Amino acid sequence: MFHFTKIASNPKALIGIASGLSIGGYFSYEKFNKVEASEGASVPPAYPWPHKELAGSYDAASIRRGYKVYREICSACHGMNEIAFRNLNVAFTDDEIKNLAAAVDVQGEPDDEGNPTTRPAKAFDYMPSPYKNEQMARSMNGGALPPDLSVIVKGRPHGEDYIYSLLTGYEEQPPAGVSLREGLYYNTYFPGGAIGMAPPLSDGAVEFEDGTPATVSQMAKDVTTYLAYCAKPDEEPRKKMGLKVLTSIAVLTALVWVSKRHKWNIVKNRTVEFRD
C-alpha cells in the first residue's frame, strides 16, 4: 500500500520528486516552444515586465498611455466587452473615468416609437464593440474576426511578451521563399507568419499627455501593460495577500518553534535516576 507519510518523512524522496517535477516542467516548456516554432512562429523573448515581479505592481502612467493607444487606434477594430470604464480606477480618478466614458456612445433605451437610440456611456457601462454583430465584423475584415481584447493577454501563450512582440514584429518584406497573398502582412511572431491585420502602430500616431515620445516600441509597451491589467486586474491584490500569508506563516512557524523549545526543554534536559 502506498503511504504518503513515509514519503513526507523521507527528505531524499521529497528532493527526488521535486527534481522530477522541475525537469518534467522544463522539458514540457521546451516541447511547447518547439511546437510553436514548427508552426512558423518565432518564440517571443521574455521581457522584464515590472508587474510580473514578486513584489511588483502595475505602472499607472503606462496604463493611462495604453488606454489612449487602445482608444485612438485599437478600438477601431477590437472591442473590450468584458471591461467596464470603472475598472480603470487603478490609473484614473473618478472624474476622469466619467469623462472617458462620456466620450463614448453606447446603446440606450428605445424611444417611444421603438427605434434604437444611443447615449453617452457612464462609468458602469462596458466598453462597446465597434461592430454590431459577428457577421458585420467579418465582412469588414476580409472574413477574419478581430478578437475581443478583454482577456487577450491570458488567452495567448507567453502573454505580454507575445502581444508586445506581435505589435513590433512586422517586417516590410517577407523572407526569401515566402509569398503572401494580397491583403496579408508578414509578422514573424504570428503562427504561419501571414497576418491580416496591418501594422497598427507608427511613430507619432498618438500624442501622450505626459510628453512621452510616442514611438512604436513605447506604444506597444504601454498598450500591452493596459491589456495585461484588464486581463488580470486582481493580480496585484493577490500578490499582496500572498506576501501577507507567507509572512504570517513565517512568524507563526517561529512562534511554534520557540514554544516547542520552551515546553520540551525541561523534558529533554531532565535526568532520570533509578534507585534500588
Side-chain angles (χ1 to χ4, degrees):
M1 185 176 180
F2 188 75
H3 294 282
F4 287 99
T5 53
K6 292 183 178 180
I7 294 179
S9 61
N10 188 340
K12 292 183 179 180
L14 292 176
I15 294 174
I17 293 174
S19 301
L21 292 175
S22 300
I23 295 173
Y26 171 79
F27 281 110
S28 297
Y29 178 77
E30 288 297 314
K31 181 178 179 181
F32 176 74
N33 284 344
K34 290 179 181 178
V35 169
E36 284 188 312
S38 67
E39 293 178 352
S42 299
V43 178
Y47 294 100
W49 301 98
H51 59 269
K52 297 183 72 173
E53 298 177 359
L54 179 61
S57 60
Y58 285 102
D59 184 350
S62 184
I63 293 176
R64 292 175 66 95
R65 295 192 298 267
Y67 174 78
K68 186 176 182 67
V69 175
Y70 166 75
R71 177 50 55 193
E72 295 188 9
I73 299 177
C74 308
S75 64
C77 299
H78 300 274
M80 300 191 74
N81 298 330
E82 299 181 22
I83 305 300
F85 289 96
R86 63 185 177 189
N87 296 139
L88 304 180
N89 57 357
V90 70
F92 297 92
T93 64
D94 291 342
D95 291 337
E96 288 176 328
I97 290 176
K98 291 179 181 178
N99 293 333
L100 292 177
V104 179
D105 291 332
V106 297
Q107 185 175 357
E109 295 293 332
D111 60 17
D112 295 337
E113 298 179 354
N115 298 316
T117 62
T118 59
R119 61 171 176 80
K122 297 183 179 180
F124 57 78
D125 285 314
Y126 289 83
M127 298 184 187
S129 170
Y131 311 105
K132 294 182 179 180
N133 48 57
E134 179 180 337
Q135 290 75 12
M136 179 180 180
R138 290 186 181 277
S139 66
M140 296 181 65
N141 291 277
L145 179 64
D148 184 89
L149 300 183
S150 301
V151 292
I152 192 70
V153 171
K154 294 175 66 175
R156 294 294 185 272
H158 305 287
E160 294 93 332
D161 297 332
Y162 170 77
I163 301 300
Y164 177 85
S165 298
L166 182 73
L167 292 174
T168 58
Y170 285 90
E171 298 184 12
E172 294 184 2
Q173 297 294 332
V178 177
S179 59
L180 300 175
R181 65 178 176 84
E182 185 178 358
L184 294 181
Y185 304 85
Y186 185 79
N187 191 305
T188 184
Y189 296 102
F190 189 76
I195 183 172
M197 179 176 70
L201 305 178
S202 59
D203 292 338
V206 300
E207 184 176 351
F208 293 129
E209 298 176 355
D210 59 2
T212 301
T215 61
V216 170
S217 59
Q218 182 66 52
M219 289 186 288
K221 178 257 184 183
D222 291 333
V223 76
T224 301
T225 301
Y226 165 73
L227 294 176
Y229 169 74
C230 291
K232 300 174 288 186
D234 59 339
E235 183 177 43
E236 189 173 335
R238 285 192 290 107
K239 287 196 294 187
K240 290 181 178 179
M241 179 59 68
L243 291 174
K244 292 179 181 178
V245 170
L246 292 176
T247 303
S248 301
I249 291 176
V251 173
L252 180 60
T253 301
L255 292 176
V256 170
W257 180 80
V258 171
S259 176
K260 178 258 184 186
R261 294 277 296 181
H262 175 72
K263 289 189 175 294
W264 286 91
N265 185 56
I266 299 175
V267 177
K268 287 186 175 182
N269 293 283
R270 69 184 177 181
T271 301
V272 180
E273 296 182 358
F274 296 93
R275 298 180 180 180
D276 294 335

